[in-house]
Amino acid sequence: MKITTGTMPFKGFKTYYRIVGEKTGNAPLLLIHGGPGSTHNYFEVLDTIAETSHRQVISYDQIGCGESYVEGHKELWTLETWIDELKALRKFLHLDRIHLLGQSWGGMLIIAYIADCHPEGVESIILSSTLPSSKLWSHEQKRLISFMPADEQRAIETAARTGNFDAPEYIKANDDYTRLHAGEVTESSPECIRRKKRFGTESYIEAWGPNEYTPTGTLKDFDYTDKLGNISVRTLIISGTNDECTPLIAKTMFDRIPNSEWELLDGARHMTFIDQTEKYRKMISNWLSKSQK
């Protein structure tokens, strides 16, 4: 498959993008990674969708991470920055017609983009293991933590109370939480997962917080629950039974987005496309074929 990479000027910095496949008559699929501060890397397991759906599959490193790394600019880490970047990338790459897939924070970005900006040319959206409300997310993560061993619950509570997230007991508990509900990197993980990446620690902490379950940053009041009903574009919601995006969070979106479908993957964690790669690829290709032009 042909792979093209490049950068787009943005706010005096650069945004890295990666395009898989050749242009066809079908609208490209644009993948928006999580974090904030993660990278496009894990999406490389979806490269084959370019062939199976006969369209380009495009990903990018959002400003603040990976090949678009920036630090020392705390004023950047807001929802508005990343929405502006998405708008700029669509314009720069001439993405007049597009399907959008956002995982975790990437899905939050899509929800805000559709609800607030009412963009033209978006043929469908895929909300993968994401959330409409930081408050609901925090509530559900704390519920998941309540099923962990008592000593790990205490370590997490102590870190939240004291602000000390360096204690060995907390680090172990958080690692266990991540393994249970987010995912893990092992020797058998795909190369794109094992590959060293430049995580945007500053953008994550400033925009979200110290961990997955403590939103304290600029996104702490993110709540689009009451705006979900205004999303009219075809929507696929994907989550896993062991996901940080719990069935309650996914159902909150499914119940409120009028033209939506929901796929719940048994046994999958937050990176559903890593835990059940083949099933995920097929699901996305089938979804895209429904509106293929």
Side-chain angles (χ1 to χ4, degrees), residues 247-259:
L248 175 60
I249 296 172
K251 190 174 186 299
T252 297
M253 294 183 287
F254 175 65
D255 285 348
R256 288 166 173 77
I257 300 176
N259 192 17

Side-chain angles (χ1 to χ4, degrees), residues 83 87 111-120:
I83 286 182
K87 290 178 179 178
I111 289 171
Y113 176 57
I114 297 296
D116 290 344
C117 305
H118 312 289
E120 296 182 355

Side-chain angles (χ1 to χ4, degrees), residues 67 171 220 273-274 284 293:
E67 300 297 324
I171 292 173
K220 69 180 185 301
F273 46 84
I274 299 298
I284 299 304
K293 296 180 180 179

Side-chain angles (χ1 to χ4, degrees), residues 149-270:
D151 60 329
E152 296 193 333
Q153 292 185 52
R154 284 194 296 272
I156 290 172
E157 189 279 329
T158 298
R161 177 168 43 83
T162 64
N164 178 14
F165 297 98
D166 297 320
E169 297 82 4
Y170 163 76
I171 292 173
K172 179 184 181 301
N174 190 62
D175 286 348
D176 285 345
Y177 165 88
T178 300
R179 176 181 54 79
L180 287 168
H181 300 295
E184 59 187 328
V185 179
T186 68
E187 291 183 355
S188 61
S189 297
E191 184 278 331
C192 62
I193 301 295
R194 291 181 281 108
R195 185 190 313 152
K196 187 177 180 179
K197 68 181 181 181
R198 201 169 189 185
F199 187 84
T201 302
E202 181 182 274
S203 59
Y204 180 81
I205 292 174
E206 292 298 320
W208 184 254
N211 53 44
E212 290 293 277
Y213 35 86
T214 313
T216 56
T218 59
L219 296 170
K220 69 180 185 301
D221 296 321
F222 182 96
D223 190 348
Y224 277 73
T225 308
D226 292 339
K227 292 185 178 182
L228 293 175
N230 297 329
I231 298 176
S232 58
V233 65
R234 285 181 61 239
T235 302
L236 175 62
I237 298 161
I238 303 173
S239 64
T241 56
N242 299 350
D243 199 338
E244 292 173 290
C245 173
T246 65
L248 175 60
I249 296 172
K251 190 174 186 299
T252 297
M253 294 183 287
F254 175 65
D255 285 348
R256 288 166 173 77
I257 300 176
N259 192 17
S260 64
E261 299 178 21
W262 175 22
E263 293 283 352
L264 180 62
L265 303 185
D266 189 13
R269 294 167 293 181
H270 196 48

Side-chain angles (χ1 to χ4, degrees), residues 11-23:
K11 291 186 180 294
F13 305 103
K14 64 178 182 178
T15 296
Y16 168 90
Y17 61 85
R18 179 177 183 272
I19 304 173
V20 181
E22 304 274 4
K23 283 187 178 180

Side-chain angles (χ1 to χ4, degrees), residues 18 20 30-34 39-49 57-62 101-104 106-107 128 192-193 271 273-274 280-281:
R18 179 177 183 272
V20 181
L30 180 61
L31 308 173
I32 306 178
H33 66 70
T39 69
H40 81 279
N41 294 24
Y42 56 14
F43 279 144
E44 291 182 24
V45 301
L46 305 181
D47 282 356
T48 59
I49 292 174
V57 174
I58 304 170
S59 57
Y60 67 106
D61 286 346
Q62 298 162 26
L101 185 157
Q103 190 262 350
S104 194
S128 188
C192 62
I193 301 295
M271 292 192 292
F273 46 84
I274 299 298
Y280 193 99
R281 287 172 180 159

